[in-house]
Amino acid sequence: MIKDTYSVGATFTLLGFSEYPDFQVPLLLVFLTIYTVTVVGNLGMIMIIRVSPRLHTPMYFFLSHLSFVDFCYSTTVTPKLLENLVVEDRSISFVGCIMQFFLACVCAVAETFMLAVMAYDRFVAVCNPLLYTVVMSQKLCALLVAGPYIWGIASSLTLTCFLLTLSFCGSNIINNFVCEHSVIVSVSCSDPYISQMLCFVIAIFNEVSSLVIIFTTYIFIFVTVIKMSSAGGRQKAFSTCASHLTAITIFHGTILFLYCVPNSQNSWLIVKIGSLFYTVVIPMLNPLIYSLRNKDVKESVKKLINHSIQVC
């Protein structure tokens, strides 16, 4: 009872990038620009998909949810990062830190499996184009979208509950800009072994299972594309998958890179940069990837702009 009360009243200090005092203002401007582009890009993508009839397909339905997850992910992390670049007091309450971890974990897991769901959608579109609208029914699309959210909440809730069993005392200085699982358990004064092992198992399961789905679907897609007699058909199939493959490569490449970072004193900066990339930068890149490389999205944006000009 005493331990739980003390933990709830504990505070943490997010060091962030405080070891570089001369770069606080430039970093603030960079991260503020990135966050602005992220918010405008992802909310803009959701709006365009909703108002444009030609984008009312399963592919863009999943893309709108990916944009929603990216917006939530960035909004969970970036405002506190920006605040800590401005103020000297970089503290965060125990409840605030746990809530940030919970929400960020939900978004990370949901994005992992949302990309896998989008891979399955591309598999059906390329390998069974005549049955695409039948297979990808509204009910199935709703279930496929609900799955990543439900599993994300379940995974995050499980990890959060085990974090709440830990006690915190003394100096709770977190050498990062975000409350991640590894840095939270690193400042705990109780044995975090069970919590660490649980996080490791869940992380490995999520990464391996999602990559198995993605690799399996793209093997079938590649085989189908190779068998196509039409060069135009192959070109269309590859262009359809190009944006998704780019997003997958960046997201999973960053995660796998972080798994490979050696455990040493110098690794904290690498982990910090890697964490920054997949929590702040990737949510900005996804809408840019899908808009710049997607003909339907670009044409829908042009129509909306022309319509707005005509109305004005």
Side-chain angles (χ1 to χ4, degrees):
M1 183 76 158
I2 294 172
K3 182 186 79 171
D4 292 343
T5 304
Y6 183 78
S7 294
V8 171
T11 58
F12 299 94
T13 301
L14 294 170
L15 289 182
F17 298 93
S18 58
E19 64 265 41
Y20 307 105
D22 295 336
F23 293 96
Q24 298 297 290
V25 174
L27 287 173
L28 174 66
L29 295 176
V30 170
F31 294 146
L32 183 60
T33 302
I34 290 174
Y35 184 59
T36 302
V37 174
T38 301
V39 172
V40 173
N42 285 292
L43 293 183
M45 182 68 75
I46 294 170
M47 184 197 71
I48 291 166
I49 292 171
R50 280 188 170 274
V51 301
S52 179
R54 70 181 297 170
L55 300 182
H56 291 175
T57 63
M59 173 183 170
Y60 294 106
F61 173 70
F62 298 134
L63 179 56
S64 67
H65 281 276
L66 180 67
S67 293
F68 174 72
V69 171
D70 279 334
F71 167 74
C72 293
Y73 202 179
S74 183
T75 301
T76 299
V77 174
T78 312
K80 186 63 181 176
L81 169 61
L82 294 174
E83 179 190 333
N84 288 343
L85 288 170
V86 176
V87 300
E88 291 186 10
D89 181 13
R90 297 181 173 88
S91 63
I92 183 173
S93 67
F94 175 80
V95 175
C97 192
I98 291 297
M99 281 302 298
Q100 188 187 59
F101 164 74
F102 174 78
L103 294 173
C105 185
V106 170
C107 293
V109 176
E111 177 150 0
T112 300
F113 285 97
M114 199 69 72
L115 289 170
V117 166
M118 293 174 74
Y120 175 74
D121 172 70
R122 293 299 83 210
F123 159 73
V124 178
V126 174
C127 300
N128 296 289
L130 298 179
L131 297 175
Y132 179 68
T133 54
V134 177
V135 174
M136 301 302 292
S137 62
Q138 287 187 347
K139 183 178 180 181
L140 180 61
C141 289
L143 289 172
L144 289 173
V145 159
Y149 289 123
I150 293 171
W151 179 240
I153 292 171
S155 299
S156 185
L157 196 59
T158 302
L159 293 173
T160 301
C161 287
F162 276 85
L163 281 178
L164 292 174
T165 64
L166 302 177
S167 58
F168 299 90
C169 47
S171 177
N172 297 320
I173 297 176
I174 293 177
N175 190 13
N176 210 328
F177 62 91
V178 61
C179 291
E180 289 186 327
H181 188 276
S182 59
V183 293
I184 295 175
V185 299
S186 69
V187 296
S188 170
C189 55
S190 56
D191 186 6
Y193 177 77
I194 296 176
S195 184
Q196 286 176 319
M197 284 304 299
L198 184 65
C199 180
F200 177 76
V201 170
I202 290 176
I204 291 297
F205 171 79
N206 290 341
E207 188 65 11
V208 171
S209 59
S210 62
L211 284 177
V212 165
I213 295 170
I214 291 167
F215 282 139
T216 303
T217 54
Y218 271 101
I219 287 171
F220 280 105
I221 289 172
F222 181 75
V223 171
T224 302
V225 171
I226 292 298
K227 289 181 179 179
M228 289 180 179
S229 57
S230 169
R234 287 197 295 269
Q235 178 67 29
K236 184 178 179 182
F238 278 126
S239 64
T240 300
C241 300
S243 299
H244 183 245
L245 278 171
T246 304
I248 287 172
T249 303
I250 294 172
F251 182 78
H252 285 283
T254 304
I255 292 175
L256 292 173
F257 170 76
L258 286 174
Y259 280 145
C260 297
V261 173
N263 189 17
S264 65
Q265 285 294 108
N266 296 327
S267 68
W268 278 110
L269 178 60
I270 300 173
V271 170
K272 208 179 288 187
I273 294 172
S275 300
L276 181 71
F277 197 77
Y278 79 81
T279 58
V280 177
V281 178
I282 288 179
M284 175 196 70
L285 292 178
N286 281 341
L288 295 177
I289 292 168
Y290 281 99
S291 60
L292 294 176
R293 296 182 64 92
N294 192 294
K295 183 180 178 182
D296 290 336
V297 172
K298 287 191 286 188
E299 288 183 1
S300 296
V301 171
K302 287 179 183 178
K303 282 187 177 181
L304 284 173
I305 294 172
N306 291 333
H307 179 71
S308 300
I309 293 173
Q310 289 175 0
V311 170
C312 293

